[in-house]
């Protein structure tokens, strides 16, 4: 995407390394909690754990940020997709890897 943006002279916006995008992805946390409540998926009205795909970290950052603000005891687990090792490679390298 970075290469395409440069080739076409258009701005690149990261799908995970942007505050506003992470904030927007937090709305998925709202939806998860609404579904738990509507479907009565929990006996005590609380949610024990959420498993979230981790590519670059924006999705888990947004969802976890919201859910933890409502249910601080909820466990958040990051699950790495095989085709998106960005977070793993970034942690390993010690800096954000946009080239993975």
């Amino acid at each position: 995407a970075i290469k395409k943006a440069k080739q076409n002279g258009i701005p690149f916006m990261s799908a995970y390394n942007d505050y506003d995008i992470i904030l927007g992805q937090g709305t998925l946390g709202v939806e998860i909690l609404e579904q738990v409540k509507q479907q009565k998926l929990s006996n005590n009205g609380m949610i024990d754990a959420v498993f979230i795909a981790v590519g670059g970290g924006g999705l888990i950052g947004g969802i976890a940020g919201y859910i933890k603000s409502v249910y601080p005891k909820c466990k958040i687990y990051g699950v790495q997709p095989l085709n998106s090792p960005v977070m793993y490679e970034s942690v390993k390298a010690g800096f954000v890897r946009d080239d993975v």
Side-chain angles (χ1 to χ4, degrees), residues 3 8-9 14-15 19 21 23 26 28 33 35 37 39 44 53 59-61 64 66 73 81 93-94 98:
K3 185 178 174 183
N8 293 295
S14 174
Y19 179 77
I21 289 177
L23 199 60
L28 293 171
L33 295 183
Q35 286 183 16
K37 199 180 296 182
Q39 300 296 318
N44 58 5
L59 184 64
I60 193 170
Y66 178 75
K73 292 182 179 179
D98 284 326

Side-chain angles (χ1 to χ4, degrees), residues 60-95:
I60 193 170
I63 295 172
Y66 178 75
I67 290 178
K68 290 293 246 181
S69 75
V70 178
Y71 296 117
K73 292 182 179 179
C74 180
K75 300 286 185 188
I76 305 294
Y77 295 96
V79 182
Q80 178 186 311
L82 289 175
N83 292 333
S84 184
V86 176
M87 182 61 71
Y88 171 78
E89 294 296 336
S90 294
V91 170
K92 191 167 84 174
F95 61 91

